[in-house]
Amino acid sequence: MVELTLPKNSQIGKGKRHRAPSGAGRLKLFKVYRYDPEGTENPRWDEYEVKVDECGPMVLDALIHIKNTMDPTLAFRRSCREGVCGSCAMNIGGRNTLACTHGWEEVPGEACQVAPLPSQPVIKDLIPDLTLFYAQYASIEPWLHTKTPEPQGEWRQSPEDRAKLDGLYECILCACCSTSCPSYWWNEERFLGPATLLGAYRWIIDSRDEATGERLDALEDPFKLYRCHTILNCAQVCPKGLNPSKAIAEVKKMLVERVV
């Protein structure tokens, strides 16, 4: 029988409980992942009794309240607070989503559990290291490739061709989809993942782009593309309602059709 031994620092322990003062009113318990790779302690779950009447309705509001009033050492990313930048992507209640658009009341159970995006190295607490994720996106060269002389004005596109990009260009690169994909968990150094492949398809079908063949050639690889097994986790968690699995299937279809 195979015996697997987990690294000592992968074992999550019980952390501190930050209690609200007596008579604090309506409370919600937040269970937050804490870890500093530069320290000597194992990861832990810290618990915070948050006075929800003093913060907004979103999980990000609660995290900001915790940092401002209870524990200034808590680390997380956030920027726009409008579901546009993708900075505050986290695993909330076991589901990848954006903390700024996910209400804490939507999380079932007594405690709202908040962790960093899975499968990625942790910089600190709720901050994942997305260096590889962004490098993979850069590898598809997400810009217009043309061979004809550049026009004096803009590159023109018909309304029909422009409509083909709907459901693709809206991706905010939050990494919720890729880090929810089991195939990406096991093959992330070779499989490009849902977000990058969605972006690749967006440029492949852009009528203004003139490198369709080269883009398809770059994806025709057993791991870059074909590690997708249509599990559909990506479509379920995308905060923008996009469907990377469908885009990946279309790329596979184009590769087959050009051979036939």
Side-chain angles (χ1 to χ4, degrees), residues 41-58:
E41 297 182 358
N42 274 23
R44 67 182 190 270
W45 291 107
D46 278 3
E47 296 179 342
Y48 301 88
E49 296 177 357
V50 176
K51 297 182 285 184
V52 292
D53 291 330
E54 296 182 3
C55 70
M58 302 303 172

Side-chain angles (χ1 to χ4, degrees), residues 63-129:
L63 292 175
I64 292 173
H65 177 81
I66 290 171
K67 187 172 180 68
N68 288 346
T69 66
M70 302 177 72
D71 186 357
T73 68
L74 178 62
F76 55 90
R77 288 192 183 108
R78 86 306 182 258
S79 184
C80 73
R81 299 181 69 170
E82 296 290 343
V84 175
C85 72
S87 298
C88 64
M90 303 174 190
N91 185 277
I92 299 172
R95 180 187 180 92
N96 291 355
T97 187
L98 301 179
C100 67
T101 60
H102 196 82
W104 47 262
E105 287 187 310
E106 300 175 41
V107 181
E110 176 187 356
C112 178
Q113 182 170 296
V114 187
L117 293 174
S119 85
Q120 302 301 292
V122 174
I123 296 175
K124 187 180 179 184
D125 297 341
L126 302 176
I127 303 176
D129 185 348

Side-chain angles (χ1 to χ4, degrees), residues 4 9 16 75 101 114 141 151 155 169 178 182 201 215 248 251:
L4 302 177
N9 65 0
K16 307 173 185 177
T101 60
V114 187
E141 300 184 357
W155 291 95
Y169 77 89
S178 292
Y201 180 61
R215 293 186 187 276
I248 294 170
V251 174

Side-chain angles (χ1 to χ4, degrees), residues 209-236:
D209 192 85
E210 298 174 345
T212 302
E214 292 87 340
R215 293 186 187 276
L216 289 173
D217 288 342
L219 296 179
E220 195 163 13
D221 178 90
F223 277 88
K224 285 184 180 180
L225 174 68
Y226 289 102
R227 287 305 93 187
C228 172
H229 299 303
T230 322
I231 298 170
L232 296 176
N233 281 7
C234 56
Q236 292 178 3

Side-chain angles (χ1 to χ4, degrees), residues 184-200:
Y184 192 72
W185 297 344
W186 305 123
N187 302 284
E188 64 180 16
E189 292 186 358
R190 300 178 69 182
F191 175 45
L192 292 179
T196 296
L197 291 172
L198 175 84

